[in-house]
Amino acid sequence: MDKLSLRPHLSRRPSAPLSGRASVPGDKSISHRALMFGALAVGQTRISGLLEGDDVLRTAAAMQALGAEVSRDGADWLVAGRGIGGLTEPEDVLDMGNSGTAARLLAGILATHPLYVVVTGDSSLRKRPMGRVVEPLCAVGAQFFTRAGNRLPMTILGARDPMPLSYRLPVASAQVKSAVLLAGLNSPGFTEIEEPEPTRDHSENMLRHFGAEISVTDAATGRHIRLRGQPELRGADIAVPGDPSSAAFPLAAALLVPDSHITISGTGLNPLRTGLFLTLREMGAKLTVTAQRQEGGEPVGDITASYSELRAVDVPPGRAPSMIDEYPILAVLCAAARGTSRLRGLTELRVKESDRLSATAAMLRVNGVNVEIEDDDLIIHGTGAIPGGGLVETHMDHRLAMSALVLGQITAQPVLIDDARFIDTSFPGFLHLMRGLGAQMAAA
Protein backbone atom coordinates (compact mmCIF):
# COMPACT_ATOMS: atom_id res chain seq x y z
CA MET A 1 0.00 0.00 0.00
CA ASP A 2 1.22 3.51 -0.86
CA LYS A 3 2.30 5.10 2.39
CA LEU A 4 0.99 8.45 1.16
CA SER A 5 -2.53 7.02 1.20
CA LEU A 6 -2.39 6.08 4.88
CA ARG A 7 -4.08 8.07 7.64
CA PRO A 8 -1.77 7.93 10.69
CA HIS A 9 -3.31 9.07 13.97
CA LEU A 10 -1.80 9.90 17.34
CA SER A 11 -3.39 9.26 20.74
CA ARG A 12 -2.15 10.83 23.97
CA ARG A 13 -3.22 11.23 27.58
CA PRO A 14 -6.04 13.77 28.02
CA SER A 15 -5.54 16.67 30.41
CA ALA A 16 -8.89 16.07 32.13
CA PRO A 17 -11.19 13.09 32.84
CA LEU A 18 -13.52 11.80 30.14
CA SER A 19 -17.17 12.63 30.73
CA GLY A 20 -20.53 12.87 29.03
CA ARG A 21 -23.29 10.84 27.41
CA ALA A 22 -23.20 9.49 23.86
CA SER A 23 -24.69 6.81 21.66
CA VAL A 24 -22.79 4.52 19.33
CA PRO A 25 -23.80 3.52 15.80
CA GLY A 26 -26.21 0.66 15.23
CA ASP A 27 -25.20 -2.95 15.76
CA LYS A 28 -23.31 -4.17 12.71
CA SER A 29 -24.44 -7.80 12.96
CA ILE A 30 -28.10 -6.80 13.20
CA SER A 31 -27.75 -4.20 10.43
CA HIS A 32 -26.40 -6.78 7.95
CA ARG A 33 -29.20 -9.19 8.79
CA ALA A 34 -31.94 -6.55 8.66
CA LEU A 35 -31.03 -5.72 5.06
CA MET A 36 -30.73 -9.38 4.05
CA PHE A 37 -33.96 -10.56 5.66
CA GLY A 38 -35.75 -7.50 4.34
CA ALA A 39 -34.64 -8.44 0.81
CA LEU A 40 -35.98 -11.99 1.33
CA ALA A 41 -39.33 -10.86 2.72
CA VAL A 42 -42.54 -9.96 0.94
CA GLY A 43 -43.48 -6.30 1.38
CA GLN A 44 -41.61 -3.41 2.92
CA THR A 45 -39.17 -3.41 5.82
CA ARG A 46 -38.37 -0.12 7.56
CA ILE A 47 -35.04 -0.06 9.41
CA SER A 48 -34.18 2.65 11.94
CA GLY A 49 -30.73 3.03 13.47
CA LEU A 50 -28.97 1.14 10.64
CA LEU A 51 -25.18 1.30 10.91
CA GLU A 52 -24.09 3.37 7.93
CA GLY A 53 -20.52 2.11 7.88
CA ASP A 54 -18.89 0.83 4.71
CA ASP A 55 -19.41 -2.85 5.62
CA VAL A 56 -23.18 -2.46 5.93
CA LEU A 57 -23.49 -0.19 2.90
CA ARG A 58 -21.84 -2.98 0.86
CA THR A 59 -24.61 -5.31 2.01
CA ALA A 60 -27.24 -2.75 1.02
CA ALA A 61 -25.66 -2.46 -2.45
CA ALA A 62 -25.53 -6.25 -2.81
CA MET A 63 -29.21 -6.67 -1.93
CA GLN A 64 -30.10 -4.01 -4.47
CA ALA A 65 -27.97 -5.71 -7.11
CA LEU A 66 -29.88 -8.94 -6.39
CA GLY A 67 -33.22 -7.28 -7.13
CA ALA A 68 -34.44 -5.78 -3.85
CA GLU A 69 -35.33 -2.10 -3.67
CA VAL A 70 -33.20 -0.36 -1.05
CA SER A 71 -33.60 3.36 -0.33
CA ARG A 72 -33.23 6.07 2.31
CA ASP A 73 -36.28 7.70 3.90
CA GLY A 74 -34.98 10.43 6.14
CA ALA A 75 -32.94 8.76 8.88
CA ASP A 76 -34.50 5.35 8.13
CA TRP A 77 -33.84 2.78 5.40
CA LEU A 78 -36.55 1.03 3.39
CA VAL A 79 -36.21 -2.42 1.79
CA ALA A 80 -38.84 -3.75 -0.61
CA GLY A 81 -38.12 -7.48 -0.70
CA ARG A 82 -38.35 -10.11 -3.42
CA GLY A 83 -39.61 -12.98 -1.28
CA ILE A 84 -37.91 -16.33 -0.62
CA GLY A 85 -36.40 -17.60 -3.86
CA GLY A 86 -37.14 -14.36 -5.70
CA LEU A 87 -33.67 -12.81 -5.98
CA THR A 88 -32.34 -12.11 -9.47
CA GLU A 89 -28.90 -12.49 -11.00
CA PRO A 90 -26.72 -9.38 -10.62
CA GLU A 91 -25.16 -7.73 -13.64
CA ASP A 92 -21.76 -7.36 -12.00
CA VAL A 93 -19.45 -8.75 -9.33
CA LEU A 94 -20.62 -8.20 -5.73
CA ASP A 95 -17.83 -6.41 -3.83
CA MET A 96 -18.26 -6.86 -0.07
CA GLY A 97 -15.35 -4.60 0.86
CA ASN A 98 -13.91 -5.56 4.24
CA SER A 99 -16.93 -7.47 5.57
CA GLY A 100 -16.47 -11.16 6.28
CA THR A 101 -19.94 -11.29 7.83
CA ALA A 102 -21.55 -9.99 4.65
CA ALA A 103 -19.58 -12.33 2.39
CA ARG A 104 -20.27 -15.47 4.43
CA LEU A 105 -23.97 -14.77 5.04
CA LEU A 106 -24.45 -13.84 1.40
CA ALA A 107 -22.96 -17.20 0.42
CA GLY A 108 -25.73 -18.87 2.43
CA ILE A 109 -28.45 -16.91 0.64
CA LEU A 110 -26.99 -17.54 -2.82
CA ALA A 111 -26.37 -21.26 -2.23
CA THR A 112 -30.08 -22.01 -2.68
CA HIS A 113 -30.87 -19.53 -5.47
CA PRO A 114 -30.20 -20.85 -9.02
CA LEU A 115 -28.01 -17.88 -9.93
CA TYR A 116 -24.45 -17.27 -11.14
CA VAL A 117 -22.77 -14.76 -8.81
CA VAL A 118 -19.16 -13.68 -8.23
CA VAL A 119 -18.29 -12.30 -4.77
CA THR A 120 -15.07 -10.45 -3.96
CA GLY A 121 -13.74 -7.98 -1.39
CA ASP A 122 -10.82 -5.73 -0.53
CA SER A 123 -7.27 -7.01 -0.08
CA SER A 124 -7.92 -7.89 3.58
CA LEU A 125 -11.11 -9.84 2.89
CA ARG A 126 -9.49 -11.70 0.00
CA LYS A 127 -6.98 -13.15 2.47
CA ARG A 128 -9.65 -14.59 4.78
CA PRO A 129 -10.78 -18.20 4.33
CA MET A 130 -14.33 -19.02 3.23
CA GLY A 131 -14.00 -22.79 3.58
CA ARG A 132 -15.98 -22.96 6.80
CA VAL A 133 -19.13 -21.88 4.92
CA VAL A 134 -18.28 -23.44 1.56
CA GLU A 135 -18.05 -26.95 3.05
CA PRO A 136 -21.61 -27.17 4.47
CA LEU A 137 -23.18 -25.13 1.66
CA CYS A 138 -21.86 -27.52 -1.00
CA ALA A 139 -24.02 -30.16 0.67
CA VAL A 140 -27.21 -28.31 -0.30
CA GLY A 141 -26.20 -28.71 -3.97
CA ALA A 142 -24.44 -25.37 -4.60
CA GLN A 143 -21.10 -25.15 -6.41
CA PHE A 144 -18.30 -22.85 -5.26
CA PHE A 145 -15.15 -21.92 -7.15
CA THR A 146 -12.53 -20.09 -5.11
CA ARG A 147 -8.85 -19.25 -5.10
CA ALA A 148 -6.42 -21.53 -3.26
CA GLY A 149 -7.33 -21.89 0.40
CA ASN A 150 -11.03 -21.20 -0.27
CA ARG A 151 -10.38 -17.48 -0.63
CA LEU A 152 -12.14 -14.74 -2.58
CA PRO A 153 -12.92 -13.96 -5.34
CA MET A 154 -15.54 -16.71 -5.19
CA THR A 155 -17.95 -17.83 -7.90
CA ILE A 156 -21.23 -19.30 -6.66
CA LEU A 157 -23.58 -21.44 -8.75
CA GLY A 158 -26.66 -21.79 -6.58
CA ALA A 159 -28.59 -25.07 -6.37
CA ARG A 160 -31.66 -25.38 -8.56
CA ASP A 161 -33.13 -28.11 -6.34
CA PRO A 162 -31.55 -27.45 -2.91
CA MET A 163 -31.46 -30.03 -0.12
CA PRO A 164 -32.06 -29.20 3.54
CA LEU A 165 -29.12 -29.73 5.88
CA SER A 166 -28.65 -31.42 9.21
CA TYR A 167 -25.35 -29.97 10.34
CA ARG A 168 -23.26 -29.85 13.51
CA LEU A 169 -20.94 -26.88 13.65
CA PRO A 170 -17.31 -28.00 14.11
CA VAL A 171 -16.55 -24.70 15.88
CA ALA A 172 -18.74 -22.07 17.50
CA SER A 173 -19.40 -19.57 14.70
CA ALA A 174 -22.47 -17.36 14.34
CA GLN A 175 -21.48 -16.64 10.74
CA VAL A 176 -21.48 -20.31 9.72
CA LYS A 177 -24.70 -20.96 11.62
CA SER A 178 -26.38 -17.99 9.94
CA ALA A 179 -25.14 -18.99 6.48
CA VAL A 180 -26.68 -22.44 6.89
CA LEU A 181 -29.96 -20.97 8.19
CA LEU A 182 -30.12 -18.55 5.26
CA ALA A 183 -29.58 -21.45 2.85
CA GLY A 184 -32.33 -23.35 4.66
CA LEU A 185 -34.86 -20.60 4.00
CA ASN A 186 -35.07 -21.61 0.33
CA SER A 187 -34.77 -25.38 0.92
CA PRO A 188 -37.72 -27.74 1.38
CA GLY A 189 -38.35 -29.49 4.69
CA PHE A 190 -36.40 -28.71 7.85
CA THR A 191 -32.85 -27.43 8.24
CA GLU A 192 -31.32 -28.50 11.55
CA ILE A 193 -28.17 -27.19 13.22
CA GLU A 194 -26.32 -28.19 16.37
CA GLU A 195 -23.81 -25.75 17.83
CA PRO A 196 -21.40 -26.90 20.55
CA GLU A 197 -21.44 -23.49 22.26
CA PRO A 198 -24.21 -20.88 22.01
CA THR A 199 -23.26 -18.07 19.61
CA ARG A 200 -24.95 -14.74 18.95
CA ASP A 201 -28.56 -15.44 18.01
CA HIS A 202 -29.52 -12.36 16.00
CA SER A 203 -30.45 -14.53 12.98
CA GLU A 204 -32.83 -16.66 15.05
CA ASN A 205 -34.42 -13.57 16.65
CA MET A 206 -34.86 -11.86 13.30
CA LEU A 207 -36.28 -14.96 11.61
CA ARG A 208 -39.03 -15.02 14.24
CA HIS A 209 -39.56 -11.30 13.78
CA PHE A 210 -40.15 -11.83 10.04
CA GLY A 211 -42.51 -14.76 10.62
CA ALA A 212 -40.38 -17.87 10.12
CA GLU A 213 -41.00 -21.07 12.06
CA ILE A 214 -37.85 -21.72 14.07
CA SER A 215 -37.23 -23.53 17.36
CA VAL A 216 -34.18 -23.49 19.63
CA THR A 217 -33.62 -26.11 22.34
CA ASP A 218 -30.70 -26.88 24.63
CA ALA A 219 -29.43 -30.45 24.86
CA ALA A 220 -26.48 -32.28 26.38
CA THR A 221 -24.62 -32.08 23.06
CA GLY A 222 -25.20 -28.34 22.60
CA ARG A 223 -27.88 -26.05 21.22
CA HIS A 224 -30.27 -27.47 18.60
CA ILE A 225 -31.89 -25.15 16.03
CA ARG A 226 -34.67 -26.26 13.66
CA LEU A 227 -35.97 -24.10 10.79
CA ARG A 228 -38.89 -24.90 8.48
CA GLY A 229 -37.88 -24.09 4.94
CA GLN A 230 -39.65 -22.00 2.28
CA PRO A 231 -41.71 -19.79 4.60
CA GLU A 232 -43.24 -16.52 3.46
CA LEU A 233 -41.31 -13.89 5.35
CA ARG A 234 -43.24 -10.67 5.86
CA GLY A 235 -41.69 -7.20 5.83
CA ALA A 236 -41.28 -5.87 9.37
CA ASP A 237 -40.03 -2.74 11.11
CA ILE A 238 -36.66 -3.08 12.83
CA ALA A 239 -35.01 -0.73 15.34
CA VAL A 240 -31.29 -1.52 15.38
CA PRO A 241 -29.79 -1.10 18.88
CA GLY A 242 -26.38 0.44 19.51
CA ASP A 243 -23.54 -1.98 18.84
CA PRO A 244 -22.09 -3.36 22.11
CA SER A 245 -18.81 -4.08 20.30
CA SER A 246 -18.56 -0.37 19.45
CA ALA A 247 -19.69 0.74 22.92
CA ALA A 248 -16.76 -1.24 24.33
CA PHE A 249 -14.24 1.40 23.22
CA PRO A 250 -15.57 4.53 24.95
CA LEU A 251 -16.58 2.45 27.98
CA ALA A 252 -13.05 1.04 28.21
CA ALA A 253 -11.55 4.53 27.98
CA ALA A 254 -13.75 5.67 30.88
CA LEU A 255 -12.60 2.71 32.98
CA LEU A 256 -8.95 3.56 32.29
CA VAL A 257 -8.69 7.36 32.49
CA PRO A 258 -8.71 8.54 36.14
CA ASP A 259 -11.94 10.15 37.40
CA SER A 260 -13.80 9.52 34.14
CA HIS A 261 -17.55 8.85 34.03
CA ILE A 262 -19.51 8.33 30.80
CA THR A 263 -22.81 6.81 29.70
CA ILE A 264 -23.48 5.08 26.36
CA SER A 265 -27.21 5.04 25.72
CA GLY A 266 -29.34 2.59 23.76
CA THR A 267 -26.79 -0.24 23.68
CA GLY A 268 -27.73 -3.79 22.71
CA LEU A 269 -27.65 -6.20 25.66
CA ASN A 270 -28.24 -9.54 23.96
CA PRO A 271 -26.94 -12.06 26.54
CA LEU A 272 -24.95 -13.83 23.82
CA ARG A 273 -23.07 -10.56 23.16
CA THR A 274 -22.27 -9.40 26.70
CA GLY A 275 -19.29 -11.57 27.61
CA LEU A 276 -17.09 -8.49 27.81
CA PHE A 277 -19.32 -6.82 30.42
CA LEU A 278 -19.26 -9.99 32.55
CA THR A 279 -15.47 -10.11 32.24
CA LEU A 280 -15.08 -6.45 33.15
CA ARG A 281 -17.13 -6.92 36.31
CA GLU A 282 -14.81 -9.81 37.24
CA MET A 283 -11.94 -7.34 36.86
CA GLY A 284 -13.59 -4.92 39.28
CA ALA A 285 -15.00 -2.50 36.71
CA LYS A 286 -17.67 -0.06 37.82
CA LEU A 287 -20.42 -0.68 35.26
CA THR A 288 -24.12 -0.02 35.70
CA VAL A 289 -27.03 -0.64 33.33
CA THR A 290 -30.21 1.45 33.45
CA ALA A 291 -33.34 2.02 31.32
CA GLN A 292 -33.48 -1.60 30.20
CA ARG A 293 -36.06 -2.25 27.47
CA GLN A 294 -36.84 -4.33 24.36
CA GLU A 295 -36.43 -2.93 20.84
CA GLY A 296 -37.00 -5.04 17.72
CA GLY A 297 -36.81 -8.29 19.66
CA GLU A 298 -33.47 -7.37 21.29
CA PRO A 299 -32.77 -6.20 24.87
CA VAL A 300 -31.38 -2.67 25.10
CA GLY A 301 -30.13 -0.43 27.91
CA ASP A 302 -27.94 2.52 28.91
CA ILE A 303 -24.47 1.58 30.22
CA THR A 304 -22.44 3.81 32.54
CA ALA A 305 -18.73 3.25 33.17
CA SER A 306 -16.62 4.98 35.82
CA TYR A 307 -12.87 4.90 36.37
CA SER A 308 -11.88 1.66 38.09
CA GLU A 309 -8.73 0.06 39.43
CA LEU A 310 -8.75 -3.19 37.50
CA ARG A 311 -7.37 -6.58 38.48
CA ALA A 312 -6.17 -9.42 36.26
CA VAL A 313 -8.63 -11.98 34.91
CA ASP A 314 -8.62 -15.53 33.55
CA VAL A 315 -11.20 -15.74 30.74
CA PRO A 316 -12.43 -19.27 29.89
CA PRO A 317 -12.54 -20.35 26.22
CA GLY A 318 -16.30 -20.95 26.40
CA ARG A 319 -16.86 -17.21 26.74
CA ALA A 320 -15.19 -16.40 23.41
CA PRO A 321 -18.35 -16.60 21.22
CA SER A 322 -20.04 -13.90 23.33
CA MET A 323 -17.15 -11.43 23.04
CA ILE A 324 -15.07 -12.49 20.04
CA ASP A 325 -14.81 -8.93 18.66
CA GLU A 326 -13.89 -7.39 22.01
CA TYR A 327 -10.61 -9.19 22.73
CA PRO A 328 -8.31 -6.42 21.40
CA ILE A 329 -9.84 -3.80 23.69
CA LEU A 330 -9.99 -6.31 26.57
CA ALA A 331 -6.27 -6.88 26.04
CA VAL A 332 -5.70 -3.15 26.51
CA LEU A 333 -7.68 -3.25 29.76
CA CYS A 334 -5.67 -6.27 30.95
CA ALA A 335 -2.43 -4.44 30.19
CA ALA A 336 -3.59 -1.66 32.52
CA ALA A 337 -4.75 -4.08 35.24
CA ARG A 338 -2.49 -5.37 37.97
CA GLY A 339 -1.43 -8.99 37.63
CA THR A 340 -1.25 -11.54 34.84
CA SER A 341 -4.34 -12.12 32.73
CA ARG A 342 -4.93 -15.13 30.49
CA LEU A 343 -7.43 -14.97 27.62
CA ARG A 344 -8.05 -18.54 26.54
CA GLY A 345 -9.16 -20.27 23.36
CA LEU A 346 -8.75 -17.45 20.83
CA THR A 347 -8.37 -19.53 17.68
CA GLU A 348 -11.19 -17.56 16.00
CA LEU A 349 -9.11 -14.37 16.22
CA ARG A 350 -6.71 -15.80 13.66
CA VAL A 351 -9.31 -15.54 10.87
CA LYS A 352 -10.64 -12.04 11.52
CA GLU A 353 -9.79 -8.86 9.59
CA SER A 354 -6.17 -9.65 10.43
CA ASP A 355 -4.54 -12.43 12.42
CA ARG A 356 -6.03 -10.50 15.30
CA LEU A 357 -4.37 -12.63 17.98
CA SER A 358 -0.83 -11.91 16.74
CA ALA A 359 -1.67 -8.30 15.89
CA THR A 360 -3.09 -7.64 19.36
CA ALA A 361 0.04 -9.04 20.98
CA ALA A 362 2.21 -6.91 18.69
CA MET A 363 0.19 -3.77 19.56
CA LEU A 364 0.92 -4.29 23.26
CA ARG A 365 4.58 -5.31 22.84
CA VAL A 366 5.49 -2.27 20.78
CA ASN A 367 4.15 -0.13 23.61
CA GLY A 368 6.13 -1.83 26.35
CA VAL A 369 3.71 -4.49 27.62
CA ASN A 370 5.02 -7.96 28.40
CA VAL A 371 2.75 -10.37 26.49
CA GLU A 372 2.94 -13.99 25.30
CA ILE A 373 0.97 -16.31 23.04
CA GLU A 374 0.73 -19.96 24.10
CA ASP A 375 -1.18 -22.04 21.54
CA ASP A 376 -4.45 -20.05 21.27
CA ASP A 377 -4.12 -18.25 24.63
CA LEU A 378 -3.04 -14.65 25.09
CA ILE A 379 -1.14 -13.96 28.32
CA ILE A 380 -0.78 -10.33 29.40
CA HIS A 381 1.40 -9.20 32.30
CA GLY A 382 -0.27 -6.03 33.55
CA THR A 383 1.58 -3.55 35.71
CA GLY A 384 -0.80 -0.59 35.79
CA ALA A 385 1.81 1.58 34.04
CA ILE A 386 2.37 1.35 30.27
CA PRO A 387 5.30 3.16 28.57
CA GLY A 388 3.68 3.60 25.14
CA GLY A 389 5.54 5.44 22.40
CA GLY A 390 5.03 2.68 19.81
CA LEU A 391 3.84 2.67 16.22
CA VAL A 392 0.99 0.16 15.84
CA GLU A 393 0.47 -1.57 12.49
CA THR A 394 -3.30 -1.90 12.12
CA HIS A 395 -3.33 -4.40 9.20
CA MET A 396 -6.53 -2.80 7.86
CA ASP A 397 -8.28 -3.92 11.08
CA HIS A 398 -10.75 -1.38 12.49
CA ARG A 399 -10.96 -2.91 15.98
CA LEU A 400 -7.19 -3.03 16.35
CA ALA A 401 -6.98 0.63 15.32
CA MET A 402 -9.59 1.73 17.87
CA SER A 403 -8.01 -0.37 20.63
CA ALA A 404 -4.61 1.22 20.05
CA LEU A 405 -6.14 4.71 20.15
CA VAL A 406 -7.78 3.91 23.50
CA LEU A 407 -4.45 2.54 24.76
CA GLY A 408 -2.81 5.89 24.00
CA GLN A 409 -5.13 7.61 26.50
CA ILE A 410 -3.19 6.10 29.42
CA THR A 411 0.37 5.50 28.19
CA ALA A 412 3.30 7.62 29.36
CA GLN A 413 4.18 8.43 25.75
CA PRO A 414 1.66 8.87 22.89
CA VAL A 415 0.66 5.91 20.72
CA LEU A 416 0.75 6.22 16.92
CA ILE A 417 -1.30 4.04 14.57
CA ASP A 418 -0.35 3.71 10.92
CA ASP A 419 -3.86 4.01 9.47
CA ALA A 420 -7.28 5.07 10.77
CA ARG A 421 -9.23 4.81 7.50
CA PHE A 422 -10.76 1.43 8.25
CA ILE A 423 -12.42 2.54 11.49
CA ASP A 424 -15.39 3.74 9.45
CA THR A 425 -16.21 0.18 8.36
CA SER A 426 -17.80 -0.43 11.78
CA PHE A 427 -17.78 2.85 13.72
CA PRO A 428 -18.28 5.94 11.59
CA GLY A 429 -17.76 9.02 13.76
CA PHE A 430 -15.54 7.21 16.30
CA LEU A 431 -12.92 9.96 16.50
CA HIS A 432 -15.56 12.70 16.76
CA LEU A 433 -17.39 10.82 19.54
CA MET A 434 -14.22 10.16 21.51
CA ARG A 435 -13.01 13.74 21.23
CA GLY A 436 -16.45 14.90 22.36
CA LEU A 437 -15.96 12.88 25.56
CA GLY A 438 -12.56 14.49 26.12
CA ALA A 439 -10.17 12.02 24.50
CA GLN A 440 -6.99 13.29 22.81
CA MET A 441 -6.89 11.66 19.37
CA ALA A 442 -5.92 13.42 16.14
CA ALA A 443 -4.34 12.96 12.74
CA ALA A 444 -0.58 12.73 13.05
Side-chain angles (χ1 to χ4, degrees):
M1 183 182 296
D2 182 354
K3 291 184 179 180
L4 294 178
S5 69
L6 302 179
R7 276 178 49 196
H9 271 65
L10 193 71
S11 177
R12 65 176 72 246
R13 280 186 177 180
S15 57
L18 307 185
S19 64
R21 172 183 286 266
S23 58
V24 297
D27 187 287
K28 185 164 71 163
S29 296
I30 295 174
S31 293
H32 282 304
R33 287 163 173 82
L35 290 164
M36 291 180 176
F37 285 119
L40 295 170
V42 174
Q44 179 177 276
T45 292
R46 177 179 289 273
I47 307 169
S48 60
L50 186 84
L51 170 64
E52 296 183 2
D54 185 67
D55 279 6
V56 174
L57 295 180
R58 299 278 183 165
T59 294
M63 294 301 102
Q64 193 158 23
L66 290 164
E69 295 178 18
V70 183
S71 61
R72 289 288 301 271
D73 182 29
D76 295 349
W77 285 73
L78 302 178
V79 183
R82 302 282 303 193
I84 297 295
L87 299 180
T88 57
E89 197 162 279
E91 295 182 358
D92 204 346
V93 172
L94 301 182
D95 186 345
M96 308 317 296
N98 191 244
S99 181
T101 298
R104 294 184 179 112
L105 269 59
L106 188 61
I109 292 173
L110 296 174
T112 52
H113 282 74
L115 309 174
Y116 172 94
V117 183
V118 179
V119 179
T120 190
D122 66 14
S123 60
S124 171
L125 185 56
R126 293 196 303 271
K127 295 174 184 176
R128 284 139 70 185
M130 296 289 148
R132 57 176 51 190
V133 294
V134 168
E135 184 265 325
L137 294 177
C138 282
V140 306
Q143 297 181 65
F144 292 83
F145 303 91
T146 64
R147 290 194 300 126
N150 282 312
R151 286 170 164 77
L152 302 181
M154 174 170 64
T155 298
I156 304 172
L157 296 178
R160 188 164 297 278
D161 297 303
M163 299 291 293
L165 287 183
S166 180
Y167 186 68
R168 178 173 172 81
L169 296 177
V171 295
S173 170
Q175 291 182 3
V176 178
K177 174 180 68 175
S178 295
V180 174
L181 287 172
L182 284 163
L185 282 174
N186 199 31
S187 301
F190 287 93
T191 290
E192 300 187 7
I193 302 172
E194 277 191 49
E195 53 178 356
E197 298 283 348
T199 64
R200 57 183 66 177
D201 59 355
H202 303 308
S203 293
E204 295 95 308
N205 292 341
M206 199 168 291
L207 281 165
R208 292 189 196 94
H209 189 62
F210 278 89
E213 181 183 324
I214 184 169
S215 64
V216 180
T217 56
D218 291 319
T221 56
R223 178 163 288 190
H224 186 266
I225 304 158
R226 193 168 191 253
L227 170 70
R228 182 187 288 276
Q230 299 177 329
E232 182 174 290
L233 302 184
R234 300 179 299 276
D237 292 348
I238 297 174
V240 180
D243 196 324
S245 297
S246 296
F249 298 102
L251 292 172
L255 294 174
L256 294 172
V257 177
D259 300 323
S260 295
H261 181 88
I262 69 168
T263 298
I264 303 299
S265 58
T267 304
L269 295 174
N270 185 304
L272 295 175
R273 294 285 302 279
T274 54
L276 176 67
F277 302 143
L278 171 61
T279 302
L280 292 178
R281 289 191 174 98
E282 291 175 354
M283 297 176 72
K286 297 174 184 175
L287 287 177
T288 58
V289 179
T290 56
Q292 296 189 57
R293 55 201 183 272
Q294 289 280 327
E295 292 183 1
E298 296 278 347
V300 175
D302 301 344
I303 307 177
T304 299
S306 302
Y307 171 71
S308 307
E309 293 186 4
L310 302 175
R311 54 182 176 267
V313 68
D314 191 320
V315 183
R319 198 175 294 172
S322 67
M323 54 184 294
I324 194 64
D325 288 328
E326 286 79 72
Y327 278 105
I329 189 61
L330 174 60
V332 169
L333 290 156
C334 290
R338 295 199 176 274
T340 297
S341 295
R342 190 173 192 120
L343 315 183
R344 301 177 183 269
L346 306 187
T347 182
E348 282 295 293
L349 290 190
R350 298 188 184 277
V351 292
K352 287 291 186 178
E353 282 79 345
S354 60
D355 176 350
R356 201 173 269 172
L357 178 55
S358 297
T360 298
M363 168 186 68
L364 296 179
R365 284 195 192 104
V366 78
N367 285 290
V369 179
N370 184 6
V371 58
E372 308 156 42
I373 297 175
E374 288 186 3
D375 297 321
D376 292 321
D377 294 356
L378 183 62
I379 302 167
I380 303 162
H381 302 282
T383 62
I386 305 172
L391 169 61
V392 176
E393 295 184 31
T394 57
H395 304 284
M396 300 172 66
D397 189 323
H398 48 116
R399 300 198 193 279
L400 195 70
M402 289 185 281
S403 298
L405 290 172
V406 171
L407 174 65
Q409 298 301 285
I410 59 164
T411 51
Q413 298 297 319
V415 171
L416 181 68
I417 66 169
D418 64 351
D419 198 355
R421 290 174 303 155
F422 303 99
I423 291 174
D424 281 349
T425 63
S426 71
F427 199 153
F430 168 76
L431 291 164
H432 177 75
L433 182 148
M434 293 300 297
R435 287 193 287 258
L437 296 170
Q440 296 294 306
M441 302 174 182

